[in-house]
Amino acid sequence: MKQKNIRIFLLMLVTFLAYWFLNYGVVAELQLRRSIYEHAQTSAYFHNIQEILPYRSPYLGDASNTGNLFYHLPLHQYPMTFAIEPETCTLTVHYDTAAKTTEQVRENLAYNTLAAMAAIDNLQCIQYEFQDGTYCITRQQVEERFDVPLSALLDDTEQWEKATQHEIFLETVLAEWFPMEIDAPCSSDSQQV
Amino acid sequence: MNELERHVEKLFRHQPDTPETRELREEILSNLQAKREDLLAQGLDERAATEAAKRDIPSVDGLIDDQQTTNVERYRMACAQTVWLHCILFWIGTLPLLFTGYRWLGAVGLGLSVLSGVGYLLFWLIHPAMQGTRSLAGARRRKMIAWRIWGIFYAVAALSVAAVTFGSNLWYGTPVTIEGPYQWAVLASRFYVPLLTVLIPLTVSRFAALLPQYRVEG
């Protein structure tokens, strides 16, 4: 029995070492990488566009798909609700926060606008409502900046990164699409989803 | 090994290997052989005579005294050691779950292993010498009950997991999509976690198997 006790104790020791290595080594490292990756997904400069590819759709009307799309884009960490106006193909994203207190809000909104219009073919207009005002942006405004159809940008990740994640793009569109002075609400005639 | 020897082997399959049972086994085999010779002499063919002899003794449960004088002190220590070993095996079984949402089970495995180890150590230090009688049939019955309860538990648990996971696909007739190795691992872990409880009936089975080893002769 003593021999068996020693063998069991050694087995427990080996198990403990394996547990320690896996739990505090491998799993902790994976969690750290995951949290760094998740943090990167909150910024237009580091976002991985592959995350939204499953939510490409020709139509805005699929509310669940539209919601999921925005939950995989920067600013997803802020509470938001959606409203769709089917007649004008307008999407309203209501953030329960003030734009001026939101981190890198203008850069992220510019990125999200391009991503949403590239992913949803008939999305004509997006309104971003904040506690302190509203930004409105139309498809025409966005398309003016690109030579190719917006949906084609998502077909090639490299092309997308060249087009959007370069600071020049974000900086140049910010003044035009999302000026520092935020407007009053554009419209309230929309259908809540 | 002829047909009758196989039959006797089967009768004693779950009996402890003791001088009494060995003697009884020899006696039953010679009785059955004599019975078969007798029936052959009466004109039955070999197959019918063997079958008739086998029907004569279908079980030995009533022939063996299942109350065993046992070194209870050492038997309990062996049982405590088994519990300790099985807690460590449970802990090892939880290691793959560290990569899933069941990571907390690793801590449970660690806790159980340490607690059962400390319990066994205390038992090792304080072990009053004791002898008593233990029922072999009772131990076998507990083993059978443990396996039946576990079988029902696992069937219910696995069916529940399947219903929750695939229920809507079945109901709406949509295809099941599992993307990538991580999704497979998450799905497998849902069936694997209740499977870990198999160590409970294994422990009870081991208790039954240990009992004859701590028989006190005379």
Side-chain angles (χ1 to χ4, degrees):
Chain A
M1 192 171 261
K2 273 187 182 173
Q3 282 290 319
K4 198 175 174 187
N5 285 342
I6 292 168
R7 284 201 296 270
I8 295 174
F9 182 75
L10 287 175
L11 178 68
M12 187 170 164
L13 201 65
V14 170
T15 309
F16 180 76
L17 291 174
Y19 173 75
W20 189 270
F21 172 71
L22 290 174
N23 198 34
Y24 297 104
V26 180
V27 175
E29 173 68 20
L30 287 174
Q31 281 189 332
L32 180 67
R33 282 188 199 175
R34 181 76 202 162
S35 83
I36 289 170
Y37 178 80
E38 281 175 4
H39 184 69
Q41 300 318 297
T42 64
S43 166
Y45 295 106
F46 306 107
H47 181 259
N48 175 11
I49 198 63
Q50 304 273 356
E51 292 279 345
I52 69 156
L53 296 186
Y55 309 108
R56 292 181 77 172
S57 169
Y59 308 110
L60 174 64
D62 184 348
S64 153
N65 183 70
T66 304
N68 275 320
L69 173 70
F70 274 83
Y71 289 126
H72 288 84
L73 283 171
L75 300 178
H76 67 258
Q77 67 273 32
Y78 296 101
M80 56 184 150
T81 54
F82 305 94
I84 293 171
E85 199 178 321
E87 291 79 18
T88 55
C89 290
T90 298
L91 171 69
T92 302
V93 186
H94 175 83
Y95 289 98
D96 201 12
T97 180
K100 65 184 174 191
T101 60
T102 307
E103 198 181 343
Q104 288 185 321
V105 65
R106 293 160 67 233
E107 290 92 329
N108 288 332
L109 288 178
Y111 181 87
N112 288 1
T113 302
L114 183 56
M117 287 191 173
I120 300 172
D121 294 340
N122 73 338
L123 174 58
Q124 296 302 321
C125 178
I126 305 183
Q127 294 180 29
Y128 295 105
E129 288 183 357
F130 290 87
Q131 287 171 346
D132 49 352
T134 299
Y135 286 117
C136 302
I137 191 90
T138 64
R139 177 174 283 272
Q140 192 186 349
Q141 279 175 281
V142 180
E143 279 178 337
E144 278 170 4
R145 300 204 65 86
F146 297 94
D147 301 329
V148 292
L150 296 183
S151 62
L153 292 174
L154 291 182
D155 294 337
D156 180 0
T157 310
E158 274 186 33
Q159 189 181 358
W160 170 265
E161 284 175 2
K162 269 186 200 164
T164 62
Q165 286 176 322
H166 201 281
E167 284 190 37
I168 294 168
F169 159 77
L170 293 168
E171 282 169 9
T172 51
V173 300
L174 287 184
E176 184 189 334
W177 296 357
F178 301 101
M180 290 292 283
E181 287 304 315
I182 194 164
D183 296 333
C186 300
S187 163
S188 59
D189 191 20
S190 56
Q191 168 199 342
Q192 288 286 328
V193 292
Chain B
M1 193 183 276
N2 65 31
E3 181 78 24
L4 284 181
E5 284 171 339
R6 274 199 295 276
H7 177 64
V8 172
E9 192 69 28
K10 212 164 122 185
L11 291 177
F12 282 85
R13 193 173 47 193
H14 298 299
Q15 300 301 335
D17 187 24
T18 63
E20 289 82 8
T21 54
R22 280 196 291 273
E23 195 179 320
L24 183 64
R25 185 197 303 240
E26 293 301 318
E27 194 181 325
I28 286 175
L29 182 59
S30 69
N31 281 350
L32 291 180
Q33 282 167 340
K35 173 92 179 173
R36 186 179 63 170
E37 294 302 321
D38 199 27
L39 292 169
L40 285 171
Q42 286 176 26
L44 262 70
D45 65 52
E46 194 165 323
R47 185 176 175 76
T50 305
E51 288 304 317
K54 279 164 65 178
R55 277 198 300 275
D56 215 34
I57 302 182
S59 161
V60 291
D61 285 349
L63 303 175
I64 293 173
D65 178 16
D66 80 318
Q67 292 296 321
Q68 171 193 284
T69 307
T70 307
N71 185 336
V72 175
E73 167 212 357
R74 292 189 65 80
Y75 173 60
R76 283 184 179 167
M77 276 178 60
C79 289
Q81 189 188 52
T82 300
V83 171
W84 182 32
L85 175 62
H86 284 193
C87 284
I88 296 170
L89 293 178
F90 172 80
W91 190 18
I92 293 170
T94 64
L95 292 182
L97 297 170
L98 291 175
F99 298 93
T100 71
Y102 297 101
R103 190 180 174 190
W104 56 274
L105 275 173
V108 173
L110 168 66
L112 286 175
S113 299
V114 171
L115 279 178
S116 58
V118 170
Y120 176 59
L121 184 68
L122 289 176
F123 210 81
W124 181 267
L125 297 170
I126 315 158
H127 53 286
M130 249 176 98
Q131 272 194 13
T133 53
R134 291 289 181 272
S135 166
L136 290 166
R140 283 196 299 274
R141 199 170 48 249
R142 284 191 290 277
K143 169 184 160 180
M144 196 177 67
I145 290 170
W147 277 108
R148 282 184 183 168
I149 291 174
W150 182 81
I152 293 167
F153 161 76
Y154 188 73
V156 170
L159 284 172
S160 305
V161 169
V164 168
T165 311
F166 306 117
S168 66
N169 298 95
L170 285 173
W171 186 260
Y172 294 109
T174 52
V176 176
T177 49
I178 302 161
E179 290 167 0
Y182 183 75
Q183 289 293 325
W184 276 106
V186 168
L187 179 63
S189 70
R190 289 184 197 151
F191 290 93
Y192 176 68
V193 168
L195 190 64
L196 279 175
T197 56
V198 74
L199 281 160
I200 296 169
L202 278 175
T203 306
V204 178
S205 294
R206 185 71 190 139
F207 289 172
L210 283 170
L211 191 53
Q213 294 174 24
Y214 294 92
R215 178 188 184 89
V216 178
E217 299 295 341

